[in-house]
Amino acid sequence: MAIIRKIHTCIYGLLRGIGFVLTLSVPAIMLVQVILRYVFKAPLMGTEELLQFPTIWMYMLGAAMASITRTHIECGVLAVYVKSPRVLAAVGVFKNLVTVVVGVWMTRWCAWYALYSLDKAKISALLHIPQFVGDSALFVGVLLMTIYAVADLVLSLGQVKSVFSGGSEPSL
């Protein structure tokens, strides 16, 4: 369990660092474009095309971080109406199981798409940046979300066991 916690901490720290750099790069690219266009009257061609790459990575890694920290938007209506811890625990397992199944399916699809992009050697129109750079963000983001969905499924199974046996809840 200590090794899993170390890996978790490393992944989260890496994602935070990459996210920080990406978050700074997008407005920096836009600032350069504005200064060149309106101050020097010399627009830089391709900035819009360039912006798509850090933007998609920022979006997908942000979604992965939301999975890690369990801060995705969730509508917990069931918890308002159902008070039984057993029912809530069982529904949690079902929810996490569906998430894992969909995540595995999406991961497989995103891997195929990234490999297709790499195989076809698609490039961006103006700057000739390999589209694989952006397309691989889908795979990495969905893979991370699926890994953490599996962790949530394991925790919810532990919670069901705990609720039905009368013990305390497990946590990551």
Side-chain angles (χ1 to χ4, degrees), residues 4 11 33 45 61 66 69 97 100-101 106 133-134 139 171:
I4 292 174
I11 290 173
Q33 173 67 355
M45 299 301 291
L61 294 181
T69 59
L97 183 62
V100 168
V101 169
M106 289 294 297
V133 172
F139 171 69
S171 64

Side-chain angles (χ1 to χ4, degrees), residues 33-47:
Q33 173 67 355
V34 167
I35 290 171
L36 287 173
R37 179 174 287 169
Y38 298 109
V39 175
F40 295 110
K41 307 288 188 229
L44 181 63
M45 299 301 291
T47 52

Side-chain angles (χ1 to χ4, degrees), residues 3-131:
I3 292 173
I4 292 174
R5 285 187 196 277
K6 269 191 164 183
I7 292 171
H8 167 75
T9 303
C10 288
I11 290 173
Y12 185 68
L14 181 67
L15 290 180
R16 281 180 53 106
I18 293 170
F20 179 75
V21 169
L22 291 172
T23 301
L24 291 179
S25 71
V26 170
I29 293 168
M30 292 169 71
L31 178 66
V32 167
Q33 173 67 355
V34 167
I35 290 171
L36 287 173
R37 179 174 287 169
Y38 298 109
V39 175
F40 295 110
K41 307 288 188 229
L44 181 63
M45 299 301 291
T47 52
E48 292 84 7
E49 186 177 291
L50 180 62
L51 279 171
Q52 76 180 351
F53 297 102
T55 302
I56 189 69
W57 273 98
M58 188 170 50
Y59 182 82
M60 293 308 296
L61 294 181
M65 286 182 68
S67 290
I68 291 170
T69 59
R70 295 179 187 93
T71 54
H72 274 294
I73 296 173
E74 184 176 313
C75 184
V77 175
L78 190 62
V80 173
Y81 295 107
V82 177
K83 300 300 180 199
S84 169
R86 289 180 174 195
V87 172
L88 290 174
V91 169
V93 168
F94 178 74
K95 175 187 75 168
N96 288 323
L97 183 62
V98 169
T99 303
V100 168
V101 169
V102 171
V104 168
W105 176 73
M106 289 294 297
T107 302
R108 185 171 178 262
W109 184 86
C110 289
W112 171 85
Y113 183 66
L115 290 173
Y116 171 81
S117 176
L118 187 63
D119 182 52
K120 297 299 178 188
K122 300 186 312 181
I123 57 173
S124 63
L126 189 62
L127 299 176
H128 302 289
I129 299 170
Q131 283 298 123

